[in-house]
Amino acid sequence: MTEIYPSLAQCAVVAAAFKILLFPAYKSTDFEVHRNWLAITNSLPLWEWYYEKTSEWTLDYPPLFAYFEWIMSQVAKLVDPAMVRVRNLEYASWETVYFQRFSVIVTELVLVYALQMLIDSSPRGASKRAAQVAAISILLSPGLLIIDHIHFQYNGCMYGILIASLVLARKRATLLSSGLVFAALLCMKHIYLYLAPAYFVFLLRTYCLSPRSIFQIQVLNCLKLGGGIAAIFGLAFGPFAVQGQMPQILSRLFPFSRGLCHAYWAPNVWAIYSFLDRVLIVLAPRAGLAVRADALQSVTRGLVGDTAFAVLPDIAPRVCFALTVLFQTIPLVKLFAQPTWDNFIGAVTLCGYASFLFGWHVHEKAILLVIIPFSLIALKDRRHLSAFRPLAVAGHVSLFPLLFTPSEFPVKTAYTIFWLILFLMAFDQLAPASGRPRFFLFDRFSTLYISVSIPLILYCSLVHGVVFGKSYEFLPLMFTSSYSAIGVVGSWVGFMVVYFTS
């Protein structure tokens, strides 16, 4: 078959070169978080990893990620031994910076490999071309650039493991491998638990139950899947369980004492709820509404602190849990009835949506949990693409406040706009027509929504500072979060309709 250009490998080389140029760029507290984890895993015995608290950035990822940090620390101590000393807080020699930046690029090869798996598993012709464009769009994602290569994390590696698991689920012969790879991912970062219901239903229906009848259990398959998952979790958590440390680990992984909203509102339902509360504070005197004075300095006012609402009722964790479970369950019903790969990816995406939109203390970075799986089916037809467009814009714009220093403004803005123009145009050319009618009003919403993004970015990044200086500092964050939330919610509604009418 004729080679498709540019190849994924060529794009990966160019992307790596560009990311190396960003080594001196801004780095968040996550940089010190991971340096500290290198130090903890290298300097201390295994049994002390989840108790160490010299730094406020304590180890709060599952054990497989801690083992991953331990492996990297063996190289790190050769580069700069001071990097792996627990008491060297905020240590950032140029060797440390370059090592950590370079480690993200190297471990992102997992993502490149998984995306190549996606391309190779796609049928020849238009489907393979669409898979290659989708793969390149993920590899060059502004989200991964901003979060991993500037702000600093290792999401590229872990999303590579997720994509590999999703691709393995495409063939019946590799269903077991798909489940085991996902189990390993859960032991690296527990945020992927939000996607686990879709995996459970899909593997139950396609691997554990007979394709002839849902009442026939394939016992051997159940034993292989259950035994494999137990072995992976045993390898990860077993040493700590033997020492009676599971309560300590769970307290680190699930700190429920945090408030409903992150310091910067993630663009979800609660951002809209918070914005409405803000508006009602202004309208309350005219409408005769009661205002709780003790809630006026809450995080909903744009400041850091516990979440409380001045006019609207407070939201309890159980409400978030109930809404998340409800809106995850709805697509799982169709997945159980029609366990196709496309429906599986759709259900994974919708589970990501539900957790992001209704979850407790959601971080804005979690939007990649929706964007990346959705990218795999965004080119299925034009109705899918219509739902994907506002998500791509809203999700990436919502990440802009992560980089608030002036020197990164041109990079994040120019790169994101270029990515959106390039790939949304490419997607538009490749997405086939749908056999079902499109939604005229939703298409118009998508166009209008995207057109608002440029003036919003200009106001929040430039105009507000010129006009107001340091006054009303919460406004740009509130506008960005609320605008992005409308796009994410609109995209979710659109995709729910597409999913259930396909």
Side-chain angles (χ1 to χ4, degrees):
M1 191 187 81
T2 304
E3 189 70 25
I4 302 174
Y5 293 99
S7 70
L8 188 69
Q10 290 168 337
C11 291
V13 170
V14 174
F18 176 67
K19 292 164 184 174
I20 289 172
L21 295 176
L22 295 175
F23 277 12
Y26 163 82
K27 54 187 184 294
S28 73
T29 53
D30 281 338
F31 183 87
E32 169 62 14
V33 168
H34 289 280
R35 188 217 59 80
N36 184 54
W37 293 358
L38 289 173
I40 289 172
T41 55
N42 183 265
S43 304
L44 301 176
L46 187 72
W47 324 118
E48 296 181 24
W49 287 3
Y50 287 94
Y51 286 90
E52 164 58 36
K53 54 181 181 180
T54 300
S55 168
E56 62 179 307
W57 313 117
T58 54
L59 181 59
D60 59 5
Y61 274 24
L64 275 192
F65 193 88
Y67 302 155
F68 167 77
E69 292 275 7
W70 178 83
I71 292 170
M72 289 198 298
S73 75
Q74 303 310 303
V75 181
K77 68 181 180 181
L78 300 177
V79 175
D80 184 353
M83 186 193 321
V84 292
R85 293 174 188 158
V86 173
R87 297 195 177 277
N88 262 3
L89 302 183
E90 305 296 335
Y91 184 75
S93 67
W94 69 266
E95 293 94 344
T96 302
V97 173
Y98 277 52
F99 170 79
Q100 290 194 244
R101 294 288 198 196
F102 193 67
S103 69
V104 176
I105 294 176
V106 172
T107 57
E108 203 173 54
L109 290 174
V110 175
L111 176 63
V112 177
Y113 179 78
L115 291 173
Q116 190 62 53
M117 286 175 58
L118 172 68
I119 297 168
D120 294 342
S121 69
S122 301
R124 294 186 177 187
S127 295
K128 186 173 286 291
R129 178 61 176 168
Q132 177 142 347
V133 172
I136 293 173
S137 77
I138 294 172
L139 177 66
L140 303 180
S141 165
L144 290 176
L145 181 78
I146 291 172
I147 297 173
D148 283 12
H149 299 281
I150 303 179
H151 191 269
F152 195 83
Q153 281 191 5
Y154 291 93
N155 290 287
C157 173
M158 287 182 283
Y159 279 110
I161 297 172
L162 174 64
I163 292 171
S165 174
L166 295 174
V167 173
L168 289 169
R170 205 167 194 169
K171 295 180 180 179
R172 183 167 182 80
T174 52
L175 283 173
L176 175 60
S177 299
S178 172
L180 298 183
V181 169
F182 183 70
L185 179 62
L186 290 179
C187 293
M188 288 194 74
K189 192 170 183 178
H190 48 301
I191 191 174
Y192 296 100
L193 275 170
Y194 288 128
L195 309 183
Y199 272 88
F200 175 81
V201 171
F202 183 72
L203 291 173
L204 172 68
R205 188 69 173 81
T206 58
Y207 188 73
C208 296
L209 301 179
S210 170
R212 294 185 296 274
S213 171
I214 62 173
F215 299 105
Q216 293 182 4
I217 300 174
Q218 302 191 85
V219 177
L220 181 59
N221 284 357
C222 291
L223 291 175
K224 288 191 290 186
L225 180 60
I229 292 174
I232 290 169
F233 273 80
L235 177 66
F237 290 92
F240 301 96
V242 170
Q243 295 293 320
Q245 294 186 2
M246 288 306 297
Q248 174 67 14
I249 292 178
L250 293 176
S251 70
R252 287 282 182 89
L253 300 184
F254 303 101
F256 290 112
S257 59
R258 295 173 180 173
L260 172 66
C261 297
H262 194 233
Y264 157 61
W265 307 339
N268 59 11
V269 167
W270 309 126
I272 297 174
Y273 191 84
S274 299
F275 178 77
L276 180 59
D277 187 68
R278 180 73 184 183
V279 172
L280 289 176
I281 291 174
V282 178
L283 299 179
R286 303 173 188 174
L289 299 173
V291 178
R292 296 191 294 277
D294 59 338
L296 291 177
Q297 297 304 316
S298 162
V299 71
T300 57
R301 312 283 73 79
L303 303 173
V304 177
D306 294 331
T307 304
F309 297 97
V311 179
L312 296 175
D314 288 339
I315 303 297
R318 62 179 177 273
V319 174
C320 295
F321 178 77
L323 290 173
T324 300
V325 170
L326 171 64
F327 287 108
Q328 285 192 338
T329 301
I330 293 172
L332 297 181
V333 174
K334 178 178 179 179
L335 178 62
F336 186 84
Q338 302 173 24
T340 65
W341 187 76
D342 283 350
N343 283 345
F344 171 52
I345 302 301
V348 167
T349 301
L350 287 169
C351 283
Y353 265 118
S355 64
F356 185 81
L357 289 174
F358 302 101
W360 179 266
H361 196 78
V362 174
H363 288 243
E364 64 279 3
K365 292 169 281 191
I367 192 61
L368 294 184
L369 207 61
V370 185
I371 294 176
I372 288 180
F374 199 165
S375 299
L376 304 185
I377 55 172
L379 289 170
K380 182 179 179 181
D381 59 41
R382 301 195 70 80
R383 296 203 316 160
H384 283 73
L385 179 57
S386 292
F388 179 76
R389 278 197 200 100
L391 173 69
V393 175
H396 291 115
V397 169
S398 72
L399 298 175
F400 279 15
L402 290 174
L403 306 180
F404 49 83
T405 50
S407 56
E408 276 68 44
F409 172 75
V411 176
K412 70 179 182 183
T413 306
Y415 187 90
T416 302
I417 292 174
F418 177 76
W419 184 93
L420 288 170
I421 293 172
L422 177 63
F423 285 102
L424 291 184
M425 287 179 64
F427 281 22
D428 192 63
Q429 292 177 2
L430 291 171
S434 172
R436 294 179 178 270
R438 293 167 67 186
F439 305 102
F440 176 82
L441 289 178
F442 188 76
D443 285 344
R444 294 300 173 268
F445 161 77
S446 179
T447 302
L448 177 62
Y449 182 82
I450 293 172
S451 66
V452 173
S453 62
I454 300 300
L456 177 84
I457 293 170
L458 289 174
Y459 172 79
C460 293
S461 301
L462 298 175
V463 176
H464 179 85
V466 173
V467 175
F468 296 104
K470 293 188 176 181
S471 300
Y472 307 106
E473 288 183 304
F474 67 90
L475 279 179
L477 290 176
M478 184 176 69
F479 289 155
T480 300
S481 179
S482 302
Y483 165 83
S484 300
I486 292 170
V488 176
V489 171
S491 171
W492 171 65
V493 172
F495 185 53
M496 283 282 279
V497 172
V498 171
Y499 181 77
F500 283 102
T501 57
S502 297

